[in-house]
Amino acid sequence: MTAEFDEDRFNMAVRKFLKHVGVTSQREIENLVRSGAVKGGELKLRMTLSAEGTPLKHVVEETVAL
């Protein structure tokens, strides 16, 4: 990191991104479930985070009961 790195500004930008991801993802999941497209009593979810031009690949998997 460079001397110009502003940690507070960076943290706020990351939090804003994560909030956007969380809110929009929840809406998409709710719409999917309400549409009746999900069969059975659970939904297996997977979220993959990547950053262009970096080796970042972070995968989170969870099974949600309906």
Side-chain angles (χ1 to χ4, degrees):
M1 302 269 167
T2 65
E4 300 91 37
F5 177 69
D6 184 336
E7 191 167 342
D8 288 336
R9 186 171 42 151
F10 171 71
N11 285 336
M12 290 300 290
V14 170
R15 286 174 185 237
K16 182 178 178 181
F17 169 75
L18 292 173
K19 182 176 180 181
H20 181 74
V21 168
V23 169
T24 57
S25 297
Q26 182 174 349
R27 285 185 194 139
E28 291 296 321
I29 293 165
E30 289 171 349
N31 289 338
L32 178 71
V33 171
R34 286 187 186 113
S35 75
V38 179
K39 306 300 180 207
E42 62 184 28
L43 181 62
K44 293 182 180 182
L45 299 170
R46 178 183 305 117
M47 179 70 70
T48 303
L49 174 66
S50 61
E52 189 173 328
T54 75
L56 177 64
K57 184 177 180 188
H58 177 71
V59 178
V60 178
E61 296 180 319
E62 187 79 27
T63 300
V64 177
L66 303 179

